């Protein structure tokens, strides 16, 4: 048996399904819903101090694995460390979220430096290596980055916004500057993902949380093409690299995204039509998702029913159980236990 033969998430991404049982992990699985996370976070001081401390970031990455035995660990960091490594000012306001010094025009883009990204992110890469060393042999380790469009949304607005109005406006008013920004993010993302894979990640996930905000033509230009180029660039250096794409809100664009970007699996949000995903998406490759994080907050029989429906829809093909987006801090830990028990109780032949 090869070293990675029993890592179930890897097997599913390689198209070897069914693999005995449905693997499971959760987006944002290390986070404020866990008391042990809140404790380590308090010790670290700020959120960014936690991201840049290999010792503490390793600890919080491993916490959900120890507690629940998830099939995958995801590196503890944030998508916004990349713009910071390119020279943009970043800070987190307690209770409010990320803040950046907004990019206003082409001169703001021109100042960004992609050449030293991996040097500046050395502590995060050190975390990847340390986690791999401490992780059970059968647990998949996932690295990640934000997709260019989603990272650009925060770089332009300087904060989270519900409909990405600043970035959408920028894309029309300053098309060349937008293209230049996306280009820089492609280059930085390839370097960063390659470095994570070399440090010990089994696969990487590209988070495109705001991809669903775009017109068809923009989805093509800012989501599909940049993601395709990242996948191609990473595989040029690491030919067997496994990649999961998560274009949240892609809806009917998912098959096109899947085929044309060349990713091995796609994350599916909770809004997706299950029959469509099963018939049109899962035949292309692995699917991951799609439990509504609010259903996990509510728990009870609704949760059981949703878990069953999701397994019913997807367990005949390549599938990784997950949420349709990140777990929220209000989620009771008992509900997470209930969900895992229900998924694990289901065996696949
Ligand atoms: O106080 C805290 O502890 C900060 C909360 C927090 C956490 C736990 C933030 C701030 N980021 C993270 C970790 C994180 N972020 C991970 C770690 C691995 C995991 O457990 O999944 C990952 C993969 C991310 C990715 C991320 N950050 C995304 C893409 C995925 C998604 O959730 O949509 C985005 C959009 C961000 C930006 C960000 N960072 C943090 C917040 C609160 C936000 C969203 C801001 C907003 O849009 O308002």
């Amino acid at each position: 048996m090869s070293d990675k033969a029993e890592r179930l998430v890897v097997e599913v991404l390689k198209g070897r399904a069914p693999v005995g049982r449905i693997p499971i992990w959760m987006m944002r699985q290390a986070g404020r819903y866990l008391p042990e996370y809140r404790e380590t976070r308090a010790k670290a001081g700020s959120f960014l101090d936690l991201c840049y401390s290999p010792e503490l970031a390793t600890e919080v990455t491993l916490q959900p694995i120890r507690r629940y035995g998830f099939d995958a660990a995801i590196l503890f960091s944030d998508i916004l460390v990349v713009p910071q490594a390119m020279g943009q000012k970043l800070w987190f306001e307690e209770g409010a979220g990320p803040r950046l010094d907004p990019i206003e025009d082409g001169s703001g883009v021109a100042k960004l430096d992609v050449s030293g990204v991996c040097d500046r992110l050395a502590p995060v890469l050190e975390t990847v290596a340390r986690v791999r060393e401490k992780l059970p042999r059968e647990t998949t380790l996932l690295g990640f980055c934000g997709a260019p469009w989603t990272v650009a949304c925060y770089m332009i607005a300087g904060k989270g916004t519900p409909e990405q109005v600043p970035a959408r406006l920028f894309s029309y008013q300053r098309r060349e500057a937008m293209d230049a920004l996306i280009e820089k993010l492609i280059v930085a993302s390839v370097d960063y993902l390659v470095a994570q894979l070399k440090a010990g990640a089994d696969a990487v996930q590209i988070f495109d949380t705001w991809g669903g905000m775009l017109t068809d033509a923009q989805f093509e230009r800012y989501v599909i093409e940049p993601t395709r180029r990242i996948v191609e660039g990473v595989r040029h250096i690491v030919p067997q690299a496994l990649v999961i794409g998560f274009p949240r809100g892609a809806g009917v664009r998912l098959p096109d995204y899947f085929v044309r970007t060349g990713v091995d699996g796609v994350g599916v949000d909770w809004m997706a039509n299950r029959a469509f995903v099963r018939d049109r998406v899962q035949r292309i490759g692995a699917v991951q998702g799609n439990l509504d994080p609010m259903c996990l907050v509510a728990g009870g029989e609704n949760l059981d029913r949703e878990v069953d429906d999701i397994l019913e829809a997807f367990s005949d093909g390549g599938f990784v159980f997950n949420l349709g987006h990140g777990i929220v801090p209000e989620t009771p830990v008992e509900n997470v236990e209930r969900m895992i028990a229900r998924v694990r109780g289901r065996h696949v032949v």
Side-chain angles (χ1 to χ4, degrees):
M1 204 183 277
S2 81
D3 181 38
K4 291 178 184 175
E6 71 280 33
R7 286 179 195 157
L8 293 188
V9 175
V10 167
E11 294 300 293
V12 171
L13 291 175
K14 284 183 175 168
R16 296 191 196 122
V19 290
R21 63 178 175 79
I22 302 287
I24 175 171
W25 67 280
M26 292 192 308
M27 283 193 269
R28 292 272 176 100
Q29 63 191 15
R32 281 179 296 167
Y33 75 105
L34 286 179
E36 58 269 38
Y37 170 84
R38 294 196 295 268
E39 208 174 287
T40 313
R41 168 87 162 72
K43 223 192 283 174
S46 76
F47 172 69
L48 280 174
D49 288 335
L50 180 53
C51 292
Y52 289 117
S53 158
E55 188 194 339
L56 299 180
T58 299
E59 167 59 22
V60 294
T61 304
L62 294 171
Q63 283 170 350
I65 309 304
R66 277 191 214 118
R67 187 185 265 262
Y68 298 119
F70 283 122
D71 295 291
I74 183 158
L75 164 70
F76 188 85
S77 180
D78 195 79
I79 61 169
L80 300 177
V81 298
V82 169
Q84 186 178 38
M86 291 162 77
Q88 192 175 12
K89 197 167 168 232
L90 168 73
W91 68 103
F92 279 80
E93 266 172 24
E94 214 53 57
R99 293 288 182 271
L100 302 99
D101 203 2
I103 302 273
E104 283 167 0
D105 51 30
S107 71
V109 177
K111 280 190 211 131
L112 298 166
D113 169 26
V114 293
S115 64
V117 163
C118 288
D119 288 343
R120 294 195 193 97
L121 295 177
V124 180
L125 297 166
E126 165 75 22
T127 303
V128 174
R130 287 197 194 194
V131 171
R132 186 61 273 173
E133 206 149 281
K134 293 196 171 162
L135 209 55
R137 199 169 166 273
E138 68 276 12
T139 312
T140 299
L141 175 56
L142 299 173
F144 72 90
C145 71
W149 162 250
T150 287
V151 176
C153 284
Y154 291 95
M155 294 176 82
I156 293 164
K159 61 182 179 182
T161 64
E163 292 186 320
Q164 310 316 318
V165 164
R168 282 161 52 213
L169 202 52
F170 190 99
S171 75
Y172 293 113
Q173 291 177 333
R174 303 179 189 278
R175 190 166 155 110
E176 276 177 28
M178 190 68 181
D179 284 348
L181 177 55
I182 296 284
E183 190 62 34
K184 285 194 165 180
L185 287 166
I186 292 171
V187 173
S189 303
V190 169
D191 286 353
Y192 185 41
L193 293 181
V194 164
Q196 292 181 38
L197 289 161
K198 288 186 172 170
D202 296 300
V204 289
Q205 178 154 327
I206 301 174
F207 287 92
D208 221 340
T209 305
W210 301 112
M213 290 291 142
L214 296 168
T215 66
D216 264 344
Q218 289 175 320
F219 191 80
E220 173 76 39
R221 191 178 182 91
Y222 301 131
V223 172
I224 293 182
E225 182 59 15
T227 306
R228 187 195 70 71
R229 290 210 22 229
I230 292 172
V231 173
E232 180 184 72
V234 168
R235 293 212 182 113
H236 183 69
I237 302 167
V238 184
Q240 308 303 322
L242 294 169
V243 186
I244 305 168
F246 176 53
R248 193 173 70 121
V252 296
R253 298 164 177 164
L254 260 177
D256 205 25
Y257 171 93
F258 207 164
V259 169
R260 299 199 18 238
T261 59
V263 293
D264 303 278
V266 288
V268 173
D269 57 57
W270 72 91
M271 300 160 280
N273 179 290
R274 288 186 191 140
F276 178 84
V277 172
R278 185 193 57 226
D279 298 340
R280 302 275 311 278
V281 181
Q282 205 174 21
R283 65 168 57 181
I284 305 166
V287 160
Q288 171 180 282
N290 83 322
L291 184 77
D292 185 350
M294 292 310 127
C295 183
L296 192 59
V297 174
E301 285 170 12
N302 283 316
L303 175 60
D304 294 345
R305 194 167 42 239
E306 275 300 289
V307 168
D308 291 350
D309 284 357
I310 290 169
L311 291 173
E312 183 63 34
F314 302 128
S315 44
D316 290 340
F319 184 53
V320 176
F321 196 96
N322 204 316
L323 311 186
H325 196 199
I327 185 170
V328 298
E330 300 72 30
T331 310
V333 290
E334 313 84 77
N335 293 356
V336 178
E337 285 158 16
R338 185 174 179 138
M339 171 190 74
I340 295 169
R342 204 148 180 109
V343 175
R344 291 252 156 102
R346 167 94 167 223
H347 292 268
V348 209
V349 262

